[in-house]
Structures are given as C-alpha cells and as structure tokens.
C-alpha cells in the first residue's frame, strides 16, 4: 500500500513537472513577450537609458531569450525588482526569468523552488570607500560603519569575512538599492560593500565625484551571477541556458553581429550547427532552427555585449578577467551546441 501510494505520488509529481515544463513557453508565446525580472536600476547591467529604454548585460540576456523564442529581441517585458521581491516574483510567475545580478548559491538552487540557468558574470564582493578615509586595505576598516542592502548574500559573506579576519564593524542595512547608495553618498556610513561590479557601477553612475572614491583591492567571496528560472520547468530552463551558451560559444568561434551572415557560409561544422545551417539545435529546444542566429544577429555574442555594457566601450571599463573566454584565461566556457 505504501509502495502504491509512493508510485502514485511520484506519478503526480512527474505530471506536475511536465505541466510546468510546457507552461512557461506557452505563457510567453501567448503573452507575446518574455517577462524578465531586472534590477531597479544598475548601470551596465540593467538600467533605463535617457530615452527610457532598458540596457545592460542582463537586459541583453533577456533580449537574447526573446530572439530565440520569437525571432525578435525587442519582445521583452522588463519588470524591475529589488532584492526582496525578486524570488517571490519568479516563484509566483510574475516573471518568466530573473536576468539580474543574482548570485548562484546552493540554498537558492535547492530551497526556493528555483534554479540557475548558467553564469553570465563572475564577480566577488568588495568594498568602496571615500579616498578621504585614508585606507588601502579592507583589513584597515576596523570599527567602520558599512552600508549593505538587505535581502542579499552580502550580509552573511561580510559577517563571515569579518569574523575570520578579526574586523569589527557596524552594519547599516537598508532595503532598497538607491537608498543604500544615497546613504553612502551622504556619509551615513564609511564603506559600501556589495559585488565588485556593483561598486564600479555605483562609483561611475551614482556618485557626484567618482574620483573621490576607490574600490579596495580585496575580493572576499565568489559571486557567480546568472539567470534563474522555476524548478520543474526543464523546457524553459533549456531555452534560457542555451540562449546564454549560444552567445558565449559564438564569441569563441568569432561569430559576431557584424559577420553572422557571412559566417552562415562557413565550412566549420560547429559554426554551421550554432547558426542552424545544420539543423537540429532548434528542434531540440522546440524553437526555429535560426534561434541562435537571431540571438547573434540582433543582440551580439557575449564579448560584444560585455564590451558595450560594462567593458572598455562603457563608462564602467571593467576588465574581462574571469569573464574572458576559457581560451584567454577566463572562465567563459560554452557548452557545445551539438
């Protein structure tokens, strides 16, 4: 009897999972747009430009998913979310995917009913201070007040690092990102601690005199950032995961938005598979065979997106570092499309 109940329960779970797998793609197609949860405004990653159009590395990933599904990268719905709202919004179906600076952790992948679909930026937690503070190392901030945003992994990471390094501090924990920035700019705290990419963005885009501030050299954590989807939604998970992978692999093979049409004539079998000249990849995902071609043509490869949003072509001027291709000493290693 217990075995029978167990089998029935497993069957029900499997049926529910199958329903979930079909649901998101169907909902997206019926809506006519991919609903992406972004930050409320994080220059270089997800923020509106002067015309109100959302731009950034994470927005490009949202656009890539739309290009894969619809053949049109503009079919997106941006839903700005703060750190407290983001997981609930995904769990409830308010958004189809989180494309915002969210760290992949074991707890998030297992306990929240969500799962990551790849890494689009390797980061680490750091410290931003006014130059007037006169410190050269994070280990010199003993007794400082440190601004943090609630609902992030930064609070626990900082506490662990401070305990291990015998550094005392007073946390100033504030709910919304902009309020934290304003508190730091107003001198309510000595230090701002968050992901290093966030500190670069804050320094350039949020502070009146960027040259009066410096990011300290210490990186105290691993912060692999990437998109999240709901668990049990494997068809949608695959679309998001492989949309990101297509951008990374296109860069590896030198396929860009500028040369993608020429590259459809390439004799390289890997390029032919990526661009759908050799069919199969699209059918595997339930998409058009030109799904990856549309991503590269309309959004660009990963390197193009990185450079214009956060790299040397942007105000942030973040070096590729860990986000370089694996062939260039970085960690960007695309799963093969075959």
């Amino acid at each position: 009897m217990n075995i029978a109940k167990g089998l029935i329960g497993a069957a029900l779970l499997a049926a529910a999972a199958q329903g979930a797998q079909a649901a998101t793609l169907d909902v997206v197609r019926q809506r006519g747009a991919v609903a992406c949860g972004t930050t409320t405004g994080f220059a270089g990653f997800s923020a509106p430009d002067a015309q109100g159009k959302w731009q950034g590395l994470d927005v490009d990933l949202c656009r890539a998913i739309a290009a894969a599904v619809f053949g049109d990268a503009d079919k997106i719905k941006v839903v700005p979310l703060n750190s407290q709202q983001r997981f609930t919004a995904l769990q409830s179906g308010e958004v189809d995917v989180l494309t915002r600076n969210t760290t992949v952790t074991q707890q998030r992948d297992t306990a929240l009913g969500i799962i990551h679909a790849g890494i689009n930026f390797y980061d680490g937690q750091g410290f931003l201070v006014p130059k007037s503070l006169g410190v050269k190392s994070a280990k010199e901030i003993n007794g400082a007040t440190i601004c943090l945003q609630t609902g992030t992994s930064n609070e626990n990471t900082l506490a662990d690092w401070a305990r291990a390094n015998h550094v005392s501090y007073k946390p100033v924990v504030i709910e919304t990102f902009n309020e934290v920035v304003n508190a730091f700019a107003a001198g309510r705290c000595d230090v701002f601690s968050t992901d290093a990419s966030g500190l670069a963005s804050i320094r350039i885009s949020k502070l009146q005199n960027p040259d009066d501030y410096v990011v300290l050299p210490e990186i105290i954590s691993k912060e692999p950032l990437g998109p999240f989807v709901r668990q049990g939604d494997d068809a949608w998970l695959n679309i998001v995961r492989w949309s990101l992978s297509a951008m990374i692999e296109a860069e590896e093979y030198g396929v860009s938005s500028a040369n993608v049409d020429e590259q459809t004539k390439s004799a390289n079998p890997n390029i032919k598979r990526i661009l759908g000249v050799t069919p199969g990849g699209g059918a595997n995902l339930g998409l058009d065979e030109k799904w990856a071609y549309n991503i590269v043509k309309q959004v660009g490869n990963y390197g193009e997106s990185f450079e214009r949003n956060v790299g040397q072509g942007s105000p942030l001027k973040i070096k590729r570092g860990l986000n370089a291709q694996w062939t260039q000493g970085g960690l960007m290693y695309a799963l093969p499309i075959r």
Side-chain angles (χ1 to χ4, degrees):
M1 187 66 177
N2 288 337
I3 293 175
K5 286 182 178 179
L7 291 173
I8 292 170
L12 290 172
L13 286 172
Q18 289 174 357
Q21 288 170 11
T24 302
L25 183 55
D26 288 345
V27 168
V28 166
R29 283 175 166 158
Q30 289 168 10
R31 186 193 302 117
V34 181
C36 296
T38 69
T39 66
T40 54
F42 186 177
F45 290 84
S46 52
D49 62 15
Q51 288 73 44
K53 185 176 181 180
W54 283 78
Q55 306 279 1
L57 187 76
D58 291 334
V59 176
D60 275 357
L61 179 54
C62 179
R63 297 182 69 243
I65 299 164
V69 173
F70 295 110
D72 186 344
D74 290 332
K75 290 191 173 182
I76 65 171
K77 177 185 177 183
V78 171
V79 183
L81 301 166
N82 64 32
S83 296
Q84 294 74 41
Q85 298 167 328
R86 55 184 166 172
F87 299 127
T88 302
L90 180 59
Q91 293 159 345
S92 67
E94 180 183 352
V95 298
D96 308 310
V97 55
L98 286 182
T99 51
R100 70 186 305 286
N101 58 323
T102 300
T103 302
V104 177
T105 68
Q106 190 255 17
Q107 188 264 348
R108 289 172 176 174
D109 248 7
T110 58
L112 301 181
I114 63 176
I115 191 165
H116 82 282
I119 308 298
N120 74 327
F121 194 88
Y122 289 93
D123 210 344
Q125 187 171 340
F127 302 89
L128 178 68
V129 300
K131 287 182 179 178
S132 60
L133 201 62
V135 300
K136 303 296 183 184
S137 166
K139 293 181 181 179
E140 298 174 15
I141 62 175
N142 198 50
T145 55
I146 302 181
C147 277
L148 300 149
Q149 185 181 6
T150 190
T152 70
S153 58
N154 299 139
E155 291 180 75
N156 290 336
T157 298
L158 177 59
D160 289 345
W161 174 85
R163 191 178 304 113
N165 288 276
H166 308 290
V167 173
S168 64
Y169 68 96
K170 180 182 178 181
V172 178
V173 183
I174 302 173
E175 185 172 342
T176 67
F177 179 75
N178 285 334
E179 288 176 357
V180 185
V181 175
N182 291 338
F184 176 67
R188 284 183 55 193
C189 45
D190 305 309
V191 183
F192 195 138
S193 185
T194 189
D195 298 347
S197 60
L199 299 177
S201 176
I202 292 161
R203 180 177 171 273
I204 291 296
S205 65
K206 301 287 187 180
L207 298 176
Q208 189 171 2
N209 298 303
D211 290 340
D212 291 344
Y213 299 87
V214 62
V215 177
L216 297 178
E218 287 88 352
I219 297 295
I220 66 171
S221 70
K222 294 181 291 184
E223 304 292 338
L225 310 177
F228 279 79
V229 298
R230 288 178 289 278
Q231 286 186 12
D233 198 350
D234 292 352
W236 185 245
L237 169 66
N238 280 332
I239 289 171
V240 175
R241 172 189 289 150
W242 288 99
S243 293
L244 171 58
S245 198
M247 295 180 74
I248 298 170
E249 192 164 35
E251 183 189 13
E252 179 181 339
Y253 286 103
V255 182
S256 69
S257 58
N259 69 16
V260 65
D261 289 314
E262 178 186 345
Q263 291 282 12
T264 59
K265 303 178 182 68
S266 172
N268 186 319
N270 293 304
I271 293 175
K272 292 169 73 172
R273 281 191 292 267
I274 293 168
L275 299 182
V277 177
T278 301
N284 291 340
L285 294 170
L287 302 176
D288 187 275
E289 292 295 349
K290 294 182 71 175
W291 66 280
Y293 166 90
N294 289 329
I295 290 173
V296 179
K297 180 71 173 179
Q298 297 178 35
V299 183
N301 64 37
Y302 178 81
E304 290 179 274
S305 179
F306 186 100
E307 291 305 325
R308 70 169 170 261
N309 289 305
V310 301
Q312 300 309 300
S314 78
L316 273 63
K317 299 196 180 304
I318 296 174
K319 295 179 180 179
R320 285 294 292 265
L322 295 178
N323 296 294
Q325 286 280 337
W326 67 284
T327 54
Q328 303 296 319
L331 297 178
M332 283 298 166
Y333 182 103
L335 304 175
I337 297 173
R338 63 170 183 258

